């Protein structure tokens, strides 16, 4: 599933397995250190569905798809 990690200053298109639990998703998202304010989550709108994912979240890992994504991923928390 694709969704937006949304904030007042920046947003990222993220992707995660459909059956990931909220607990697993939040554990992985806690590893993200945003370069700017990011504070929420929302669905993609029709115009965003074609956009490439910038953050890939799995059950036990998280990664950026490019070094250009304006955040860092902490190794472990």
């Amino acid at each position: 599933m694709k969704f937006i990690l949304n904030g007042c200053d920046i947003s990222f298109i993220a992707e995660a397995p459909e059956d990931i639990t909220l607990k697993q998703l939040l554990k992985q998202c806690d590893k993200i250190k945003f370069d700017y304010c990011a504070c929420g989550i929302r669905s993609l709108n029709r115009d965003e569905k074609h956009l490439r994912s910038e953050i890939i979240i799995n059950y036990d890992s998280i990664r950026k798809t490019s070094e250009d994504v304006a955040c860092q991923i902490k190794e472990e928390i």
Side-chain angles (χ1 to χ4, degrees):
M1 75 178 148
K2 281 186 175 181
F3 54 93
I4 300 283
L5 291 172
N6 199 35
C8 51
D9 296 331
I10 196 165
S11 64
F12 302 101
I13 298 175
E15 186 173 340
E18 296 255 343
D19 63 346
I20 195 168
T21 66
L22 180 59
K23 184 176 183 177
Q24 291 168 315
L25 182 65
L26 292 174
K27 181 179 180 183
Q28 297 312 318
C29 286
D30 282 345
K31 296 177 184 177
I32 302 171
K33 181 177 182 266
F34 298 103
D35 291 353
Y36 307 97
C37 171
C39 55
I41 186 172
R42 69 171 176 81
S43 299
L44 295 170
N45 66 39
R46 183 180 12 217
D47 297 330
E48 297 167 327
K49 292 192 184 280
H50 72 282
L51 298 174
R52 183 177 59 90
S53 297
E54 298 169 290
I55 296 177
I56 305 293
I57 301 167
N58 282 306
Y59 307 102
D60 58 0
S61 65
I62 186 169
R63 68 179 174 82
K64 301 187 307 182
T65 59
S66 166
E67 287 302 314
D68 295 336
V69 179
C71 70
Q72 283 76 51
I73 304 296
K74 301 179 222 173
E75 291 299 316
E76 282 300 319
I77 56 165

